[in-house]
Amino acid sequence: MTTRTDQDTQAPIVPASRLEARDLTLAYESRTVVTGLDLAVPAGRVTVVVGPNACGKSTLLRALGRLLKPSAGAVLLDGEELHRTPTRQIAQRIGLLPQSPTAPEGITVADLVARGRQPHQRWWQQWSEEDERAVTEAMARTSTDGLADRSVDELSGGQRQRVWIAMALAQGTGILLLDEPTTFLDIAHQVEVLDLVRRLNHERGRTVVAVLHDLNQAARYADHLVAMKAGRIVAQGPPAEVVTAELVREVFGLESVVVPDPVTGTPLVVPGAPWTGAGPGRTAG
């Protein structure tokens, strides 16, 4: 099979895999969080999951990354059940960046990014030219190569997040799962990280699934938007079709006006008063 290459670096583009959930139920001990959920992640596109707190967004992402075993139903990767696939094979195909990851104390940027190659290591071959190439490319693409010798502890929030993404890229997977990658970042670093994720998708064709809190950022960067509430999917599809005042009211309990973003043309939610369920001229009881 001929592998496509990036025109600038001639680095191989990882073929897209199909990731889907079928009749998925997820629970923590006796507490069920997600019930009967079906989702087909569009290959080679950016999917963003949004919804209120505790609606099951991060739980769903954990299941897609094989960190949480379904109580019922299944997550499938190219038609095969994720929990029946060897861990090393999953790590070579799915990269997961959890919320607020913690680096070992004193580790340098280069060493942390190199840890992304561990799924490709063998006891008889600890490091290869391919590993070196993957790490070098990942750091170049995330503009972290100039930070290689610095301790991760010394970096700003935006720099650290780019380093973690570099580690996930070095893993060389066709699917990248990001759980709230902009948490605790200021607006400039949020845009920096999301621009990077979008560029990596465009340049390399990687499938990205991200959980975001900001609906406007989700609408701007997503090809496919998934809106969740109370452990179920309320709506999904292109942001222009999904993001409406009615959906914002149903999912977030917020009155709003949805207008075109003056920069991108994507839906822009302008919040109004919290929705009380009261009709015109009435007050909620």
Side-chain angles (χ1 to χ4, degrees):
M1 181 180 69
T2 301
T3 303
R4 293 185 299 138
T5 60
D6 182 276
Q7 293 180 352
D8 296 328
T9 65
Q10 298 302 305
I13 297 177
V14 181
S17 296
R18 293 180 291 109
L19 184 64
E20 56 185 317
R22 292 184 184 172
D23 197 23
L24 191 64
T25 296
L26 303 171
Y28 296 104
E29 297 182 347
S30 61
R31 183 172 66 92
T32 299
V33 179
V34 170
T35 305
L37 183 145
D38 292 309
L39 174 65
V41 176
R45 311 304 292 271
V46 175
T47 295
V48 178
V49 184
V50 298
N53 290 339
C55 73
K57 304 184 300 295
S58 294
T59 299
L60 171 60
L61 203 73
R62 284 172 56 83
L64 294 177
R66 200 173 176 258
L67 295 183
L68 180 63
K69 186 176 182 179
S71 300
V75 176
L76 306 178
L77 180 62
D78 288 335
E80 300 291 332
E81 283 197 39
L82 217 57
H83 276 273
R84 297 181 182 274
T85 305
T87 300
R88 180 180 292 275
Q89 290 184 24
I90 296 298
Q92 291 174 350
R93 301 173 69 184
I94 299 177
L96 172 62
L97 181 59
Q99 291 184 41
S100 307
T102 302
E105 185 176 354
I107 193 171
T108 66
V109 168
D111 287 342
L112 183 61
V113 176
R115 292 196 175 198
R117 298 303 298 169
Q118 287 181 350
H120 304 276
Q121 303 292 299
R122 297 291 188 273
W123 67 266
W124 66 85
Q125 185 181 3
Q126 291 298 308
W127 195 255
S128 67
E129 290 184 5
E130 181 181 355
D131 294 326
E132 189 70 35
R133 190 162 49 246
V135 169
T136 300
E137 180 191 344
M139 294 181 68
R141 287 185 174 277
T142 54
S143 300
T144 55
D145 40 358
L147 306 173
D149 296 327
R150 291 184 59 181
S151 170
V152 175
D153 299 334
E154 302 173 357
L155 305 180
S156 69
Q159 289 173 325
R160 279 197 301 271
Q161 201 68 331
R162 283 192 284 119
V163 170
W164 283 110
I165 292 175
M167 188 189 76
L169 290 180
Q171 197 172 331
T173 62
I175 298 174
L176 188 58
L177 308 179
L178 305 172
D179 194 358
E180 299 184 19
T182 58
T183 299
F184 305 127
L185 300 183
D186 60 40
I187 185 62
H189 286 125
Q190 291 177 25
V191 172
E192 176 185 14
V193 166
L194 292 174
D195 280 346
L196 168 62
V197 170
R198 199 72 175 105
R199 187 168 67 250
L200 292 168
N201 164 258
H202 278 192
E203 292 176 355
R204 302 296 306 280
R206 274 188 170 88
T207 300
V208 178
V209 183
V211 168
L212 294 179
H213 272 301
D214 191 308
L215 184 55
N216 288 330
Q217 288 182 344
R220 172 175 282 204
Y221 289 96
D223 297 308
H224 187 76
L225 190 67
V226 177
M228 292 185 63
K229 180 181 181 182
R232 65 186 181 91
I233 293 177
V234 176
Q236 61 178 311
E241 298 177 8
V242 170
V243 181
T244 64
E246 291 75 19
L247 178 103
V248 175
R249 182 187 302 120
E250 178 181 0
V251 173
F252 295 96
L254 180 71
E255 289 290 352
S256 65
V257 176
V258 179
V259 299
D261 187 306
V263 176
T264 63
T266 53
L268 180 67
V269 178
V270 181
W275 187 60
T276 63
R282 292 180 294 159
T283 58

